[in-house]
Amino acid sequence: MDEHMDVYEKNKEAYYKAYPQEAALWEGAKYEKSNLLIRSISASGGAESLLVEKDDRKLVLDGVFGSKERIQEQIESWGAIPSKMPLFVVGISNLEHIRAYLKAAREDCLILVYEPSIEIFDYVMRHIYIADLILDSPILFVVDQLNDKGLEDKIAAILNIDTASSLKTIVSPNYDVLFPEKTEAAVRILKKKYTNLIITWNTMRRFTDVAGLNSIFNIRHLLHGYNISQLKGMLRNEVPAIIISAGPSLNKNIEDLKDAKGKACLIAVDTAIKPLLNRGIVPDFFVIVDGKKPTELMQHPRISEVPLVTCSVVARGIMDLHQGKKFFYYSDDSLEGEIFKRARKESGKSENLYEIDLPTGGSVANTAFSLALHMEASRIILVGQDLALTNGRTHADGTFKAKMEKLSEEQMEGMIEVEGIYGKPVLTRTDFHMYLQWFEDQIAKKELKNVYDATQGGAKIHGTTVMTLRKAIKKFCNKPIDIVAKINALPEMMDWGAKKEFVDLYDHLPEKMSEVFEKALEGEKLYLKLEKICKQKELKEDAYRKIVKKIEKINDYMNTNKYALFVQDNLMDLNYIMRTAIYQQEADERDDRISLAQQGQVMNFYIRREAEKWIEITKQVVERRPMEVNREDIQGSLDQLLYDLECEEVAQ
Amino acid sequence: MNREELFLDCRVIILQVLEQLDQKRTAEGFSLLVRQIHPVQDTILELADGGFLLPDDIQQLSEYLLQALENKDAVLLYDVLKYALLDVLNQLLE
């Protein structure tokens, strides 16, 4: 058999095994070809390099004299390669460099290879043996026209906060010249994903000091709360939703919203609520996501009339101020997860007790947009969604101040220019830009054709249709809907059994925090013992294994127990240092073990201290904000039956 | 100019071109080499005449250098200059 045919068959078989759909597309040649001519040329040391001819220009994809040296220099420039290092490579070339990276990296590294030319990929598959890399290596292959739509998700898959700092990006030789747009687009996606990861992490850190406290204070509101799952499909693709944000352009058309009341679902973001209520416009919902939002922004005599869409970690002042109906989305808080789990177990109607997330790009308007999708709005109309400065202002009048001031020159520094809604460039902040990109990504990904931008100012949101609010209301808001009646018909998410279980959990919070404290103390002691064992001249294997087994139990507890996770979630800064440090390994095995034992002591020491803090806080909260279930909580015949049974038990 | 002086001159030119390419100033790198091509060509001839490289290697080196210049291929130019020509000159000038 021809040597190349053998290579081709083996590669094909491997590709079919690992990427069946892509392989079928490739073999069926269901892709567009460009005018590339590819051939192999001999390089030093008997290796082969690839030469590509494009537009009468011949370019090599690798050196011919010093390929190995160049790759080696690159690897050496990275220094010590940490565990789980993510590596993003644009261009498979002849894969020699990828083999070298793989050899130099640790076994658990994550390599994503993006090939922007299907023809180069095809050539490689037919001439260079790569079946082993396809099947038996930690490499993900993304190829132009075969699976490049999944590039963004694949990039997200190799990035996480523990290892992001060690990310390496390689653009293979001449790929930037041959495929400038695709290379640039791929690097841009990587940059975006990386930035989003860091921003999300920093946001979590920013709110860490309040998230735990908010959660402990707010969970009591779940007792009489509703789940956003109860709003699923409420608009049945028949009624539009208007997302009202607080951008400066809201001043222009806020009055028009009066005409939409009762004919659309009005969803306001937190800062827009006061300007609306001040004008007598009562939205159907308002949404909050911020853990530090000042309570004053919501202080209005009618605030409790508006159902609140919220989660357990938002600003506790606002949660207490608002006495109306609260619809909860899932905050990813460990404690909340435990509440839902236990409540489900004891509930007779657990369908409303599942954690439902509302995807967001970081802004409350993003969350409101996800809510509109969740409710199956026929159209989504955006108002006050400037996502840019309008007349030098960030928000509408009546939000943070009665009359918003222009930003100072100093505040304007670092602004970026984006396309305005009417085509002219406008200035925006980097966080606004991120929210804007999230909207555009969602619209493109979900192929939404029903999003209208009625902001009448600010940045252009690609994928939306620009229309004045007045026209949008006239055109789309024709069908009357009584959302208040629909909401009033909903039962609270917890029934009698769920509520009783939740109250029990709440009352025992201090004991659970004490348990975390005890476990952390035990862990600290075990790691100290481990350090001593590791420092001995000769490692006593038996003693070492015994102690490691005990430590594993503690670590399992710390990684799975929801109360332990809650405590650790509130140690974000330390968490980051420890998590990244775990992947920085010592050269010597003995030093590595000692270092691990020391890190274990530090981690458990901080968990113990943090747990101690939460024992006190939960004691106070449970005492000062008690929860109870009584007759008023009976919502149906099953609740009544359970209540009667309990009364009988007490009487006996 | 004797052989050593020629090699030294050529080495300096190569280092300057590599510096430009390292800095991603590709056009400047090519322009510099084109302006200073004679000492480089003379060096290659001298390497052939002196038997410092095999005729096949000389031919390959010349062909790739020409290909790099004709196609404005900075990757290939860097490769030829650094890992072929400069390596040999460094050994000879040691």
Side-chain angles (χ1 to χ4, degrees):
Chain A
M1 190 187 272
D2 181 305
E3 186 199 335
H4 281 155
M5 190 49 93
D6 193 30
V7 164
Y8 169 71
E9 290 300 334
K10 282 180 179 161
N11 285 345
K12 190 173 83 171
E13 193 186 336
Y15 198 47
Y16 261 105
K17 261 189 198 162
Y19 302 84
Q21 286 177 340
E22 290 85 342
L25 281 176
W26 164 64
E27 208 192 2
K30 287 176 184 159
Y31 50 81
E32 282 177 32
K33 286 181 181 171
S34 58
N35 55 349
L36 289 189
L37 284 174
I38 306 149
R39 64 186 162 94
S40 297
I41 52 171
S42 56
S44 63
E48 280 190 356
S49 181
L50 298 186
L51 182 83
V52 174
E53 278 189 63
K54 187 188 180 191
D55 305 329
D56 295 330
R57 199 172 169 196
K58 292 177 196 167
L59 294 168
V60 292
L61 295 190
D62 197 1
V64 286
F65 292 104
S67 169
K68 278 187 183 149
E69 289 84 344
R70 184 184 54 78
I71 296 166
Q72 206 46 46
E73 282 167 17
Q74 192 162 46
I75 291 169
E76 277 164 17
S77 75
W78 294 345
I81 294 178
S83 182
K84 295 198 174 175
M85 180 185 85
L87 175 63
F88 180 52
V89 184
V90 178
I92 56 176
S93 185
N94 58 359
L95 288 113
E96 284 302 317
H97 56 329
I98 293 164
R99 286 190 186 278
Y101 302 146
L102 199 58
K103 203 173 162 191
R106 290 171 183 266
E107 279 175 5
D108 57 3
C109 66
L110 300 160
I111 303 180
L112 175 58
V113 180
Y114 166 58
E115 175 50 54
S117 164
I118 177 87
E119 285 148 301
I120 292 178
F121 175 75
D122 182 71
Y123 183 90
V124 167
M125 289 291 278
R126 290 172 194 280
H127 296 87
I128 300 171
Y129 179 72
I130 63 164
D132 58 330
L133 293 180
I134 293 174
L135 285 179
D136 309 318
S137 74
I139 301 178
L140 284 169
F141 286 96
V142 175
V143 182
D144 171 53
Q145 298 186 59
L146 298 185
N147 59 350
D148 57 340
K149 278 190 180 161
L151 180 61
E152 201 165 330
D153 292 340
K154 297 276 193 316
I155 287 176
I158 65 160
L159 282 179
N160 72 56
I161 196 66
D162 304 340
T163 54
S165 61
S166 60
L167 169 73
K168 301 280 178 290
T169 311
I170 309 289
V171 175
S172 301
N174 272 331
Y175 271 79
D176 52 339
V177 182
L178 284 162
F179 316 105
E181 280 123 26
K182 284 180 180 171
T183 302
E184 202 180 300
V187 173
R188 204 168 41 233
I189 292 173
L190 177 76
K191 207 172 156 190
K192 188 176 93 178
K193 284 282 162 194
Y194 182 87
T195 311
N196 285 354
L197 182 75
I198 299 299
I199 289 176
T200 306
W201 179 263
N202 285 338
T203 308
M204 281 164 73
R205 282 171 66 187
R206 184 181 160 233
F207 291 115
T208 295
D209 55 335
V210 292
L213 267 183
N214 283 342
S215 177
I216 290 291
F217 274 81
N218 288 337
I219 50 172
R220 68 194 302 276
H221 294 293
L222 287 164
L223 190 70
H224 297 292
Y226 299 77
N227 193 319
I228 59 152
S229 65
Q230 296 171 274
L231 302 176
K232 175 84 183 152
M234 186 180 264
L235 305 178
R236 296 176 304 188
N237 285 312
E238 290 173 0
V239 178
I242 304 182
I243 314 281
I244 308 151
S245 302
S249 296
L250 182 63
N251 297 338
K252 293 180 196 167
N253 50 16
I254 191 166
E255 292 289 339
D256 294 341
L257 287 165
K258 287 178 179 168
D259 295 335
K261 183 71 188 166
K263 287 176 271 180
C265 178
L266 304 188
I267 305 172
V269 309
D270 45 15
T271 33
I273 192 75
K274 254 169 89 171
L276 287 169
L277 292 176
N278 284 339
R279 284 171 173 82
I281 304 164
V282 183
D284 297 299
F285 297 98
F286 79 105
V287 184
I288 173 168
V289 296
D290 197 333
K292 288 186 172 176
K293 202 64 123 183
T295 310
E296 304 82 66
L297 286 177
M298 310 294 134
Q299 256 162 359
H300 192 282
R302 299 185 69 182
I303 191 77
S304 299
E305 287 177 36
V306 191
L308 174 60
V309 175
T310 184
C311 67
S312 64
V313 297
V314 305
R316 55 189 183 276
I318 295 170
M319 291 287 272
D320 285 346
L321 174 81
H322 177 268
Q323 302 283 313
K325 290 179 190 291
K326 292 181 177 69
F327 287 83
F328 284 85
Y329 59 90
Y330 185 48
S331 66
D332 204 20
D333 177 68
S334 314
L335 198 53
E336 199 183 317
E338 180 70 2
I339 293 167
F340 276 111
K341 192 177 140 196
R342 281 185 52 181
R344 269 198 304 273
K345 259 190 185 168
E346 297 302 319
S347 172
K349 52 169 190 67
S350 61
E351 69 271 17
N352 295 331
L353 291 169
Y354 285 89
E355 301 91 323
I356 309 289
D357 181 32
L358 281 180
T360 184
S363 136
V364 60
N366 295 152
T367 307
F369 185 85
S370 291
L371 176 65
L373 288 174
H374 176 75
M375 294 176 76
E376 294 173 15
S378 61
R379 288 176 176 82
I380 299 176
I381 302 163
L382 305 172
V383 186
Q385 196 54 251
D386 291 63
L387 294 166
L389 305 187
T390 298
N391 297 326
R393 294 170 173 88
T394 56
H395 286 80
D397 294 337
T399 53
F400 292 92
K401 284 181 177 177
K403 193 87 189 158
M404 288 298 288
E405 288 163 6
K406 283 188 179 187
L407 292 189
S408 65
E409 265 182 42
E410 196 185 330
Q411 287 170 314
M412 294 286 276
E413 271 178 31
M415 296 282 171
I416 50 172
E417 212 174 67
V418 292
E419 187 185 347
I421 194 165
Y422 303 118
K424 284 186 183 168
V426 290
L427 288 177
T428 190
R429 295 191 330 209
T430 47
D431 55 342
F432 284 179
H433 187 235
M434 201 174 83
Y435 310 148
L436 170 70
Q437 284 181 325
W438 184 88
F439 275 123
E440 292 177 344
D441 281 354
Q442 292 294 308
I443 292 168
K445 259 190 202 167
K446 298 189 164 80
E447 297 179 5
L448 301 174
K449 307 275 179 228
N450 59 346
V451 185
Y452 295 81
D453 190 356
T455 296
Q456 295 173 228
K460 166 110 183 139
I461 305 171
H462 292 95
T464 61
T465 306
V466 177
M467 194 180 276
T468 63
L469 180 59
R470 195 169 292 180
K471 194 174 169 188
I473 292 171
K474 203 174 166 191
K475 208 168 169 187
F476 306 127
C477 305
N478 307 311
K479 197 169 178 170
I481 181 167
D482 189 349
I483 291 177
V484 176
K486 281 180 184 284
I487 290 172
N488 285 341
L490 297 172
E492 289 173 0
M493 66 175 148
M494 289 191 196
D495 61 4
W496 184 267
K499 280 179 180 170
K500 293 286 274 188
E501 184 65 13
F502 176 29
V503 170
D504 182 64
L505 178 150
Y506 186 76
D507 289 344
H508 288 91
L509 281 173
E511 284 100 308
K512 292 292 177 186
M513 295 301 171
S514 297
E515 186 184 293
V516 179
F517 175 90
E518 292 300 333
K519 292 279 183 191
L521 184 63
E522 196 186 334
E524 217 179 316
K525 287 176 184 168
L526 287 169
Y527 272 114
L528 182 65
K529 272 187 191 170
L530 184 71
E531 187 187 351
K532 282 179 187 165
I533 291 171
C534 294
K535 277 184 173 167
Q536 284 165 355
K537 274 189 179 172
E538 254 185 56
L539 184 73
K540 289 177 182 162
E541 292 278 352
D542 277 357
Y544 177 79
R545 264 200 290 274
K546 222 169 161 183
I547 206 104
V548 165
K549 216 170 182 182
K550 285 182 182 172
I551 284 174
E552 275 172 2
K553 271 191 183 169
I554 295 285
N555 287 348
D556 277 350
Y557 173 86
M558 292 299 176
N559 290 330
T560 54
N561 181 278
K562 299 291 178 188
Y563 303 93
L565 288 171
F566 173 84
V567 170
Q568 290 170 85
D569 286 345
N570 288 283
L571 282 167
M572 226 46 172
D573 272 328
L574 177 78
N575 216 348
Y576 180 72
I577 297 163
M578 298 300 290
R579 286 170 69 167
T580 47
I582 282 167
Y583 295 105
Q584 311 296 327
Q585 286 163 352
E586 304 288 339
D588 180 73
E589 202 178 337
R590 181 175 176 268
D591 290 348
D592 212 28
R593 282 178 178 156
I594 294 169
S595 162
L596 204 73
Q598 288 167 342
Q599 284 171 11
Q601 287 170 63
V602 175
M603 191 74 197
N604 281 287
F605 165 77
Y606 279 102
I607 295 173
R608 178 167 61 85
R609 266 199 6 189
E610 189 68 17
E612 200 171 9
K613 185 180 100 183
W614 288 106
I615 295 169
E616 284 314 305
I617 293 171
T618 49
K619 265 184 195 167
Q620 284 180 27
V621 170
V622 171
E623 200 180 301
R624 290 180 195 167
R625 296 163 68 94
M627 284 200 322
E628 57 171 5
V629 188
N630 54 39
R631 262 194 100 111
E632 289 166 21
D633 288 296
I634 298 170
Q635 290 195 87
S637 51
L638 186 64
D639 281 7
Q640 184 67 53
L641 188 70
L642 287 168
Y643 176 74
D644 291 344
L645 279 171
E646 274 175 31
C647 288
E648 270 176 37
E649 272 174 29
V650 172
Q652 281 168 7
Chain B
M1 188 188 284
N2 65 27
R3 179 182 285 162
E4 191 180 1
E5 283 170 346
L6 175 68
F7 286 177
L8 280 169
D9 270 10
C10 182
R11 190 172 172 275
V12 170
I13 294 163
I14 291 171
L15 288 173
Q16 284 176 337
V17 175
L18 290 176
E19 169 75 10
Q20 296 295 323
L21 297 181
D22 270 332
Q23 303 290 326
K24 303 281 173 216
R25 290 197 290 261
T26 311
E28 287 86 342
F30 276 105
S31 154
L32 179 64
L33 184 62
V34 171
R35 276 187 275 124
Q36 304 280 347
I37 196 69
H38 294 304
V40 177
Q41 280 175 332
D42 291 347
T43 298
I44 294 172
L45 289 173
E46 197 60 37
L47 288 173
D49 288 348
F52 298 111
L53 283 176
L54 296 170
D56 280 355
D57 292 340
I58 288 288
Q59 194 187 340
Q60 200 186 22
L61 195 153
S62 311
E63 276 175 10
Y64 281 130
L65 182 60
L66 187 65
Q67 183 182 315
L69 288 169
E70 277 178 356
N71 293 282
K72 292 268 186 295
D73 186 343
V75 172
L76 186 58
L77 181 65
Y78 194 93
D79 187 67
V80 172
L81 293 183
K82 183 169 179 182
Y83 299 111
L85 212 42
L86 188 62
D87 256 11
V88 177
L89 291 178
N90 281 344
Q91 283 171 31
L92 294 174
L93 290 169
E94 254 178 15

